[in-house]
Structure formats: C-alpha cells, structure tokens
C-alpha cells in the first residue's frame, strides 16, 4: 500500500470504485464553478441596469476576463512537463518554459482576484453605497473566487496520477 502525502498530511485513499468517476466528476465540478462565477457576474450586470447610481464599465469585466485567461493558461500545462530537469546542451529547456507559463497563469488568476477586491473597495465600499448596489460589487469578487476554485479543481483532477486519462486520437 502506497501512502500519498501532501504537505505532510496523509490523503485518504479512495475506494477503487470512485477512481473511475473522480476525473469526470472533478471536470463537471470545475465547469459548474466556472459557469456559476459568470452567472453571478451577469446577475450583477443585469441588476446594475436597474440602478441609475452605478454603471459597470470595462474595469468591472477585467478581473473575470483575467481569471478566465489564467484558468486556460494554468490548465493547459501538463504536470509531467514541470518535473523535467534537463539542464545542459542537450536539453530543450521545456521545463523552464512550462514553469514560466504556469507562473503567468497563476499571476493572472491572482491579479484577477486582487483586481475584483480592489474594485469592490474603491467603487462600492469607500463611497458607502446602498446594500443592493453593494451586491453588484460583490458579484465580481464571487466570480473571481469561483473561477479560481474551478481552476484549482480542474488542475488537481487532470494532473492526478490515476490511470484514467483522456487520450484524444484522431482517426
């Protein structure tokens, strides 16, 4: 029996019957979180049309777009590329490029979350707007958090060491 440790904490072993469905369930969960994030933001966008005191501009859209782009970049990298350690004349430096790309994706995710918190603070909390208008500001933060969680879920599921992985074959 092999033991898997993450940050010196032993992960519980899943029964073999759950291994087959873990990949699909995690993918569906990630898609649901991503959709929920954009759904919440669109709810705030529609609600903002009923208030004359607030107008959503491009700055309100930017954190969600940055988080979505960061999710795409982060989850396009295979974990096996990060484990390569080829230094020297014969190596392609692919591991370093993959690490840089992963860093850019995570920076976009973090920047989107920080941007949504900044917009919430500057545009909604400091002017002390009404509670129903404050909800519009929270939709951007909830969107960024949901996309961040979706990205983490998809990364964990697709980079796990389980046997069932998607292999696309063109016929």
């Amino acid at each position: 029996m092999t033991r898997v440790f993450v940050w010196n904490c032993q992960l519980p072993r899943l029964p073999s019957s759950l291994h087959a469905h873990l990949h699909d369930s995690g993918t569906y969960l990630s898609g649901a979180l991503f959709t929920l994030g954009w759904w919440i933001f669109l709810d705030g966008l529609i609600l903002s049309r009923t208030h004359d005191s607030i107008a959503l501009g491009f700055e309100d859209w930017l954190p969600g777009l940055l988080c979505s782009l960061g999710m795409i970049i982060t989850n396009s990298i295979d974990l096996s590329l990060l484990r390569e350690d080829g230094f020297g004349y014969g190596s392609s430096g692919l591991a370093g490029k993959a690490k840089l790309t992963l860093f850019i994706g995570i920076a976009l995710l973090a920047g989107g979350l920080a941007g949504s918190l900044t917009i919430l603070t500057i545009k909604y909390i400091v002017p002390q707007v009404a509670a129903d208008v404050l909800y519009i500001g929270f939709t951007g933060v909830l969107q960024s958090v949901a996309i961040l969680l979706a990205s983490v879920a998809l990364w964990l599921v697709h980079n796990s060491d389980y046997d069932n992985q998607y292999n696309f074959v063109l016929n």
Side-chain angles (χ1 to χ4, degrees):
M1 179 177 186
T2 61
R3 293 178 175 230
V4 179
F5 289 94
V6 175
W7 296 296
N8 290 331
C9 297
Q10 185 177 2
L11 294 175
R13 298 300 294 173
L14 296 174
S16 60
S17 62
L18 292 178
H19 283 263
H21 302 293
L22 182 66
H23 191 271
D24 293 334
S25 300
T27 304
Y28 293 142
L29 174 69
S30 175
L33 284 170
F34 182 80
T35 305
L36 180 69
W38 277 101
W39 186 269
I40 290 171
F41 178 74
L42 289 176
D43 179 49
L45 180 68
I46 293 168
L47 185 64
S48 73
R49 298 290 179 173
T50 62
H51 294 284
D52 294 332
S53 62
I54 194 73
L56 292 183
F58 182 69
E59 72 275 359
D60 293 300
W61 286 82
L62 194 59
L65 295 173
L66 287 176
C67 283
S68 298
L69 185 61
M71 180 179 178
I72 292 169
I73 291 172
T74 302
N75 288 300
S76 66
I77 298 171
D78 189 20
L79 186 61
S80 64
L81 293 175
L82 299 174
R83 293 181 181 157
E84 281 185 17
D85 286 320
F87 295 108
Y89 293 113
S91 66
S92 64
L94 193 59
K97 293 174 187 173
K99 289 176 185 177
L100 177 65
T101 306
L102 180 65
F103 174 76
I104 291 170
I106 291 173
L108 285 171
L109 283 165
L113 181 61
S116 65
L117 287 169
T118 303
I119 289 170
L120 172 69
T121 303
I122 292 173
K123 198 172 180 180
Y124 298 98
I125 293 178
V126 171
Q128 296 179 352
V129 296
D132 55 343
V133 178
L134 186 63
Y135 167 75
I136 297 169
F138 275 109
T139 58
V141 175
L142 293 174
Q143 175 197 25
S144 297
V145 169
I147 294 173
L148 179 70
L149 291 175
S151 181
V152 168
L154 195 61
W155 172 263
L156 290 176
V157 169
H158 281 274
N159 288 313
S160 60
D161 293 326
Y162 297 121
D163 295 345
N164 57 342
Q165 292 183 357
Y166 289 125
N167 293 319
F168 297 109
V169 178
L170 298 174
N171 292 330

